[in-house]
């Protein structure tokens, strides 16, 4: 192992010297926010405190080497005025018992980024979320034998000051049920990845309770305003109210305590946490207390029939004087509770909420008033706004965009180019018409589990944006809706906070396969090369919301699903042709939400074969086992999509025997995939439900919290007896327990009605099918069944067995 680490480190030293030294690359946008950057530098936690916290992270990460590294906080002047880290051989290197490596940095985040960089590029290590395999540190040599860096040392400067993290809905899809232990791990991970601008949304309901009660709104009125614990992201945005609630007072108190811990740690690390601001979303009771206020009753947001119990929230017009009063009170209450802020506040008044008129003057007045609400509470306030509205809403044409973006003083508004890896707005809006922005990778919707990525765009997009003419870019960011998936994507994206030049992604992926598993295995490098050119090379511009049949079963009649291409396939097969599954799905009708497929499945199966063949050498690696389960799941999921079409084809041909045989094969596959997923802790339903219950104070809360957790990943929103939620399966998951106990049972109901239709010579009874599967879902939401919280089974043997059982048939290649 030592020889491998040394040979790798020699290569990494060359790579670092060639690529990562960095140079001054300030943009116009950085100049515009320079005042805020200076304030942050002045208000940073004392160096002694940052050092103490950095050493604690080191100890938690690699305790065996806690004495091998020394940290030093340095001023920006030593980095030509930029944020940076330096890696040097320790001056006392040759003394017995001394540290081996000295890492210097302008903040604790830079120190830990430097630590990660050293472990990554000198020791061949890898750091990811625990669920996705965790850390790979077996390649790190023993204390006393760490690789030396070149005598002159290494300096890595940030080309752009900020590295942003989170989405407004990440708090619900990923963080809702976290205790402090899990939060501490995440903040450690953030720092090691170089993240210095995370959202900090936890606990805000307790602040809102105090603010609204000061405006004569009672606590009972707020019961209908806040959503349940799993749905707070959408009640905060004014999409819904009351759904999953009411929030117990203990929840509000508990989450406020958590927020104070979160913020304290972020500040100690030198981060710049982003707090929420007032967007105009108000309780219904405010219309009674202030009857003359300009308050709009918003339209329905995805409820089945506009059910007033959850839909149609109230928005206070930003031009009403009350808006500034509430905005000021909210900012000041946060400052009072937390003792400080970073002066950056997120507000998304227009996210999925179009203004009533496209008059630029009116839109400008709204923007001015929104910012005034922040500034009146904090003189140094800067507004951070998600740019998602410019991506999806045709309302925002150039005059309207300019009116909003220019309504705030230059340097006081920063926009998140939220989906820049697929639909970059900066390039079509003249750099957001001169306003600072952060290039963000959205990547994931709802925490769905799907191997997917646009690695080439990630490795080049931020650099192209930053180096473009008159660039106003001020940061990079990861704005995924859900975390703990596709670790390769987040490894590369986090690194772009330090990359000055576009990345040779092919070479980077080759190194990734070594770091991920702690050793070079040719078959694994070959496999990842296949995955890089297929699964992680999506260029079709489509949103990757996972709609695989297993996890998002079609709620349509079989007649709505085209099987023409399947009939052609049988004819072609007779003539010796073998069309790919991709052509099959692309030819299918679009009368239901087709699964997204952007690569040839026949090209990916060999990658799985290479993974399996590497098992004898890597089966003890947790990162390998996670990836093996994930890739096997990915391949089988696409196989299931095709198998479902076979069932539909048999139904249309009136072949009752084939319907019975193929549908049973589909259901067996679902059960087999559940067994596969049970082989790794990262794919279990049990820990998710358990974490929800562990935050409860009594039995009633356990019931409520578990219902929230179950509902988010299945029905999501409201339904009637025969009309499913419009958001059903949006939060779907490939988790063991969920497949066997819910998805498989739902599919079985559909197949039962297919069989009945053929047996009786009648049409498919769509309404009866809906009634039965909706009841199944509602019962499952309220169930208290307990699921395993620890993995069982052998990942390699299970993957090998399922490959041989399902994937050797040439028909599916």
């Amino acid at each position: 192992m030592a020889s491998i680490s040394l040979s790798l480190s020699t290569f990494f030293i060359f790579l670092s010297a060639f690529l990562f030294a960095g140079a001054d690359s300030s943009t116009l946008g950085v100049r515009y926010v320079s005042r805020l950057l200076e304030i942050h530098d002045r208000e940073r936690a004392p160096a002694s405190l940052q050092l103490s916290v950095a050493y604690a992270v080191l100890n938690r990460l690699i305790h065996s080497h806690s004495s091998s590294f020394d940290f030093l906080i340095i001023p920006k002047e030593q980095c030509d005025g930029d944020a940076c880290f330096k890696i040097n051989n320790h001056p006392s290197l040759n003394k017995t018992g001394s540290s081996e490596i000295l890492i210097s940095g302008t903040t604790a985040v830079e120190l830990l980024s430097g630590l990660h960089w050293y472990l990554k590029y000198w020791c061949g290590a890898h750091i990811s979320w625990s669920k996705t395999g965790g850390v790979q540190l077996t390649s790190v040599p023993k204390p006393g034998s760490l690789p030396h860096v070149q005598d002159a040392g290494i300096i890595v400067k940030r080309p752009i000051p900020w590295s942003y993290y989170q989405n407004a809905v990440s708090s619900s899809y990923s963080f809702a049920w976290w205790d402090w232990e899990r939060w501490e791990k995440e903040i450690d991970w953030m720092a090691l990845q170089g993240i210095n601008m995370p959202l900090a949304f936890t606990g805000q309901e307790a602040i809102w309770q105090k603010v609204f009660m000061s405006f004569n709104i009672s606590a009972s009125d707020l019961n209908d305003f806040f959503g349940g614990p799993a749905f707070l992201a959408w009640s905060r945005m004014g999409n819904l109210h009351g759904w999953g609630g009411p929030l117990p007072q203990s929840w509000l108190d508990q989450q406020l305590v958590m927020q104070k811990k979160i913020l304290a740690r972020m500040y100690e690390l030198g981060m710049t946490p982003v707090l929420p601001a007032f967007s105009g979303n108000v309780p219904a009771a405010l219309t009674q207390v202030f009857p003359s206020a300009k308050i709009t009753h918003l339209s329905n947001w995805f409820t089945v029939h506009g059910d007033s119990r959850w839909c149609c929230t109230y928005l206070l017009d930003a031009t009403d004087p009350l808006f500034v009063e509430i905005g000021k009170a909210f900012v000041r209450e946060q400052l009072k509770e937390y003792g400080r802020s970073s002066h950056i506040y997120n507000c998304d008044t227009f996210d999925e909420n179009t203004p009533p008129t496209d008059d630029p003057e009116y839109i400008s007045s709204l923007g001015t008033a929104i910012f005034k609400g922040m500034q009146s509470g904090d003189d140094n306030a800067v507004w951070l706004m998600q740019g998602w509205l410019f991506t999806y809403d045709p309302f925002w044409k150039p005059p309207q965009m300019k009116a909003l973006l220019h309504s705030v003083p230059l340097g006081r508004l920063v926009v998140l180019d939220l989906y820049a890896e697929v639909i970059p707005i900066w390039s079509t809006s003249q750099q957001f018409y001169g306003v600072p922005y952060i290039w963000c990778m959205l990547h994931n919707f709802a925490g769905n589990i799907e191997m997917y990525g646009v690695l080439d765009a990630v490795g080049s997009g931020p650099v192209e944006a930053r180096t473009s003419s008159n660039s106003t870019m001020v940061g990079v960011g990861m704005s995924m809706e859900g975390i703990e998936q596709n670790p390769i994507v987040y490894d590369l994206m986090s690194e772009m906070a330090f990359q000055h030049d576009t990345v040779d992604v092919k070479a980077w992926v080759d190194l990734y396969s070594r770091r991920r598993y702690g050793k070079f295995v040719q078959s694994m490098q070959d496999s990842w090369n296949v995955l890089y050119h297929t699964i992680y090379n999506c260029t079709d511009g489509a949103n990757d919301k996972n709609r695989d049949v297993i996890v998002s079963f079609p709620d349509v009649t079989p007649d709505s699903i085209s099987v023409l291409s399947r009939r052609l396939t049988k004819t072609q097969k007779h003539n010796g042709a073998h069309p790919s599954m991709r052509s099959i799905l692309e030819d299918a009708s679009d009368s239901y939400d087709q699964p997204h497929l952007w690569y040839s499945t026949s090209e990916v199966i060999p990658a799985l074969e290479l993974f399996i063949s590497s098992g004898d050498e890597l089966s003890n690696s947790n990162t390998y086992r996670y990836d093996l389960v994930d890739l096997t799941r990915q391949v089988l999921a696409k196989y299931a999509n095709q198998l479902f079409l076979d069932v539909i084809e048999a139904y249309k041909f009136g072949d009752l025997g084939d319907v019975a045989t193929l549908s049973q094969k589909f259901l067996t596959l679902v059960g087999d995939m559940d067994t596969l997923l049970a082989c790794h802790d990262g794919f279990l339903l049990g820990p998710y439900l358990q974490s929800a219950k562990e935050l409860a104070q009594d039995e009633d809360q356990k019931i409520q919290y578990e219902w929230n957790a179950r509902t988010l990943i299945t029905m999501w929103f409201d339904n009637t007896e025969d009309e499913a939620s419009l958001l059903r399966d949006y939060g779907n998951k490939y988790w063991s327990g969920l497949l066997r106990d819910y998805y498989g049972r739902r599919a079985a109901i559909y197949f039962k009605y297919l069989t009945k239709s053929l047996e009786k010579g009648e049409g498919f009874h769509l309404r009866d099918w809906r009634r039965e599967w909706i009841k199944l879902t509602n019962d499952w939401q309220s169930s208290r069944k307990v699921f395993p919280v620890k993995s069982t089974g052998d990942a390699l043997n299970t993957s090998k067995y399922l490959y041989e059982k399902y994937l050797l048939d040439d028909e599916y290649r």
Side-chain angles (χ1 to χ4, degrees):
M1 186 66 69
S3 61
I4 292 174
S5 298
L6 288 173
S7 62
L8 278 175
S9 67
T10 301
F11 179 79
F12 294 143
I13 289 170
F14 166 77
L15 193 65
S16 293
F18 185 70
L19 290 178
F20 304 140
D24 180 38
S25 52
S26 181
T27 66
L28 286 175
V30 174
R31 296 177 205 170
Y32 298 153
V33 299
S34 60
R35 177 178 176 275
L36 180 62
L37 293 172
E38 291 170 1
I39 292 172
H40 287 163
D41 288 341
R42 288 199 305 268
E43 296 182 351
R44 202 85 67 191
S48 59
L49 180 56
Q50 292 190 60
L51 285 170
S52 174
V53 175
Y55 280 120
V57 175
L58 167 64
N59 194 51
R60 285 192 290 273
L61 175 67
I62 184 165
H63 177 72
S64 59
H65 290 64
S66 58
S67 298
S68 299
F69 296 91
D70 206 1
F71 291 149
L72 178 66
I73 296 286
I74 58 175
K76 280 186 175 180
E77 287 72 24
Q78 292 191 27
C79 304
D80 300 322
D82 295 321
C84 80
F85 60 79
K86 297 180 179 182
I87 305 172
N88 293 90
N89 299 318
H90 200 279
S92 304
L93 179 61
N94 296 320
K95 296 180 181 179
T96 304
S98 69
S99 298
E100 300 171 74
I101 299 296
L102 173 64
I103 300 175
S104 309
T106 49
T107 69
V109 169
E110 312 307 316
L111 294 177
L112 293 167
S113 300
L115 171 66
H116 185 190
W117 203 269
Y118 175 81
L119 293 173
K120 190 178 197 178
Y121 287 116
W122 272 263
C123 303
H126 175 73
I127 297 172
S128 69
W129 292 293
S130 294
K131 272 194 173 184
T132 58
V135 298
Q136 184 289 111
L137 298 172
T138 59
S139 61
V140 180
K142 294 179 180 180
S145 303
L146 291 181
H148 299 175
V149 300
Q150 59 233 50
D151 291 342
I154 301 296
I155 179 171
V156 178
K157 300 178 184 178
R158 286 186 187 264
I160 210 86
W162 287 324
S163 180
Y164 168 83
Y165 184 57
Q166 294 182 40
N167 184 294
V169 301
S170 304
S171 56
S172 286
Y173 283 127
S174 292
F175 311 151
W177 311 112
W178 285 4
D179 57 15
W180 171 244
E181 181 182 1
R182 181 61 187 87
W183 264 113
E184 184 174 59
K185 288 180 180 178
E186 188 71 8
I187 297 171
D188 286 358
W189 180 89
M190 291 182 204
L192 290 160
Q193 305 295 337
I195 293 162
N196 59 12
M197 184 189 278
L199 287 185
F201 277 13
T202 302
Q204 63 179 279
E205 282 67 33
I207 304 293
W208 279 122
Q209 183 184 59
K210 295 178 181 181
V211 169
F212 281 127
M213 289 180 73
S214 73
F215 285 88
N216 297 318
I217 303 297
S218 68
S220 60
D221 290 329
L222 293 175
N223 285 340
D224 183 55
F225 178 60
F226 300 135
F231 299 95
L232 290 174
W234 299 278
S235 66
R236 291 166 182 169
M237 292 189 290
N239 301 136
L240 54 82
H241 66 94
W243 181 249
L247 282 182
Q249 185 63 43
S250 61
W251 173 274
L252 274 69
D253 298 340
Q254 177 189 65
Q255 292 297 295
L256 182 59
V257 171
M258 185 71 71
Q259 171 75 335
K260 291 179 179 180
K261 287 184 177 181
I262 292 167
L263 287 175
R265 181 60 54 81
M266 288 177 174
Y267 288 132
E268 289 165 357
L269 286 162
M271 292 180 179
T272 302
V274 179
L275 295 176
F278 179 49
S279 65
N281 180 32
V282 295
L286 200 75
T287 62
Q288 306 299 317
V289 179
F290 297 93
S292 61
K294 193 175 180 181
I295 299 176
T296 301
H297 197 190
L298 299 179
S299 58
N300 182 27
W301 186 84
F302 290 114
T303 64
V304 173
H305 290 301
D307 194 321
S308 61
R309 290 176 295 172
W310 345 109
C311 102
C312 312
T313 57
Y314 290 85
L315 184 71
L316 176 62
D317 194 293
T319 61
D320 191 293
L322 185 60
F323 188 101
V324 173
E325 288 185 46
I326 296 176
K328 174 182 177 180
F330 183 56
V331 169
R332 289 194 170 178
E333 187 62 36
Q334 290 184 95
L335 293 174
K336 177 183 174 183
E337 281 287 343
Y338 308 143
R340 61 169 296 186
S341 80
S342 297
H343 312 293
I344 302 183
Y345 301 91
N346 171 252
C347 178
D348 295 304
T349 298
F350 308 110
D351 188 12
E352 304 193 26
N353 175 32
T354 303
T357 173
D358 64 0
D359 177 20
E361 287 190 12
Y362 174 74
I363 292 171
S364 180
S365 69
L366 290 178
T368 299
I370 290 167
F371 177 66
K372 187 178 179 182
M374 302 175 206
Q375 190 180 34
S376 60
D378 181 346
D379 288 339
N380 296 313
V382 170
W383 177 5
L384 182 73
M385 180 177 68
Q386 291 192 143
W388 181 243
L389 67 167
F390 305 133
T391 302
Y392 81 92
D393 192 342
F395 171 90
W396 295 98
K397 296 177 174 61
Q400 289 72 36
M401 281 186 69
K402 291 178 184 177
L404 178 59
L405 295 172
H406 293 165
S407 66
V408 179
L410 188 60
R412 293 299 193 98
L413 173 65
V414 176
V415 183
L416 300 176
D417 198 352
L418 208 70
Y419 201 13
E421 85 276 24
V422 176
I423 309 174
I425 302 300
W426 69 268
S427 60
T428 59
S429 64
Q430 301 171 39
Q431 307 277 351
F432 285 92
Y433 302 109
V435 169
Y437 71 93
I438 295 175
W439 193 103
C440 291
M441 178 193 74
L442 177 55
H443 182 257
N444 178 270
F445 291 89
N448 295 160
I449 297 173
E450 169 93 293
M451 291 182 75
Y452 157 84
V454 195
L455 290 184
D456 284 341
V458 170
S460 61
V463 177
E464 292 169 359
R466 178 175 51 79
T467 58
S468 62
S469 178
N470 298 316
S471 177
T472 55
M473 180 174 158
V474 294
V476 297
M478 296 184 281
S479 55
M480 65 284 120
E481 289 191 350
I483 65 169
E484 298 175 322
Q485 34 74 31
N486 288 288
I488 188 173
V489 176
Y490 295 89
D491 194 343
L492 178 59
M493 186 62 230
S494 64
E495 194 171 296
M496 297 311 294
F498 300 99
Q499 290 284 11
H500 290 252
D501 299 302
T502 56
V503 174
D504 180 342
V505 179
K506 169 62 171 63
W508 188 93
V509 171
D510 284 346
L511 291 176
Y512 176 85
S513 68
R514 296 185 181 206
R515 294 189 294 102
R516 178 76 172 154
Y517 312 116
K519 61 169 70 174
F520 171 73
V521 178
Q522 185 64 56
S523 55
M524 291 304 294
Q525 184 165 299
D526 294 343
S527 180
W528 273 105
N529 188 49
V530 172
L531 297 179
Y532 161 53
H533 286 100
T534 53
I535 286 176
Y536 290 108
N537 185 37
C538 181
T539 57
D540 63 10
N543 295 345
D544 191 57
K545 299 175 182 176
N546 194 320
R547 290 295 176 263
D548 287 337
V549 173
I550 290 176
V551 296
S552 185
F553 205 87
D555 186 29
V556 295
T557 66
D559 293 332
S560 302
I561 304 169
S562 171
V563 294
L564 174 62
S565 56
R566 292 297 293 160
R567 293 199 294 272
L568 289 176
T569 296
K570 289 182 179 293
T571 302
Q572 290 167 331
K573 264 192 84 174
H574 181 73
N575 295 329
H578 297 277
S580 71
M581 179 180 152
R582 181 174 186 169
S583 66
I584 294 166
L585 286 180
E586 287 180 345
D587 286 345
S589 164
D590 60 0
S591 58
Y592 78 99
D593 203 356
Q594 296 284 348
H596 182 206
L597 189 65
W598 61 98
Y599 60 90
S600 169
T601 56
S602 64
E603 295 178 16
V604 172
I605 292 176
L608 176 58
E609 293 169 346
L610 289 167
F611 252 84
I612 292 172
S613 70
S614 306
D616 290 342
E617 199 165 352
L618 294 176
S619 60
N620 289 329
S621 164
N622 192 28
T623 48
Y624 167 78
R625 292 194 301 273
Y626 174 88
D627 291 344
L628 176 64
V629 170
D630 202 20
L631 180 56
T632 309
R633 175 209 57 76
Q634 180 82 9
V635 173
L636 290 176
K638 305 312 171 189
Y639 171 86
N641 292 341
Q642 189 168 341
L643 185 56
F644 174 73
L645 291 180
D646 288 350
V647 176
I648 299 302
E649 180 184 37
Y651 171 84
K652 290 194 171 189
F653 276 111
D655 191 332
L656 183 60
D658 268 6
V659 167
T661 300
L662 292 169
S663 60
Q664 184 55 52
K665 186 175 183 180
F666 183 97
L667 296 176
T668 301
L669 173 60
V670 173
D672 284 343
M673 288 180 68
D674 193 282
T675 299
L676 168 74
L677 296 170
C679 293
H680 195 279
D681 289 343
F683 299 99
L684 302 182
L685 171 64
Y688 170 71
L689 298 181
Q690 183 66 22
S691 63
K693 291 181 285 188
E694 285 177 350
L695 290 186
Q697 303 291 311
D698 55 41
E699 192 62 24
D700 287 342
Q701 288 182 19
K702 284 184 180 180
I703 294 171
Q704 179 190 7
Y705 294 1
E706 184 171 1
W707 183 91
N708 268 254
R710 286 170 174 260
T711 297
L712 183 66
I713 60 175
T714 52
M715 193 62 83
W716 207 109
F717 213 3
D718 70 331
N719 60 265
T720 66
E721 287 185 357
D722 55 9
E723 291 178 274
S725 163
L726 300 176
L727 293 173
R728 64 187 178 277
D729 293 324
Y730 186 84
N732 67 68
K733 297 285 189 293
Y734 275 106
W735 281 345
S736 177
L738 193 56
L739 270 71
R740 195 184 306 274
D741 200 55
Y742 176 62
Y743 293 138
R745 292 165 64 194
R746 177 173 63 178
I749 296 171
Y750 191 85
F751 295 146
K752 179 181 72 175
Y753 281 98
L754 287 181
T755 301
K756 281 186 177 181
S757 173
L758 292 180
E759 287 176 341
K760 295 184 178 181
E762 301 173 347
F764 183 84
H765 290 187
L766 183 64
R767 172 168 281 194
D768 291 343
W769 135 254
R770 283 178 173 165
R771 284 178 178 272
E772 193 165 342
W773 86 258
I774 289 172
K775 183 179 185 305
L776 166 73
T777 307
N778 293 159
D779 289 345
W780 195 89
Q781 291 167 261
S782 299
S783 174
R784 305 298 305 284
K785 182 176 178 179
V786 176
F787 295 89
V789 295
K790 294 293 183 182
S791 59
T792 56
D794 184 285
L796 178 59
N797 288 338
T798 304
S799 176
K800 190 181 301 183
Y801 167 74
L802 295 181
Y803 165 78
E804 293 172 353
K805 181 176 181 178
Y806 293 106
L807 301 173
L808 290 180
D809 189 338
D810 285 343
E811 180 180 356
Y812 294 100
R813 286 176 173 265

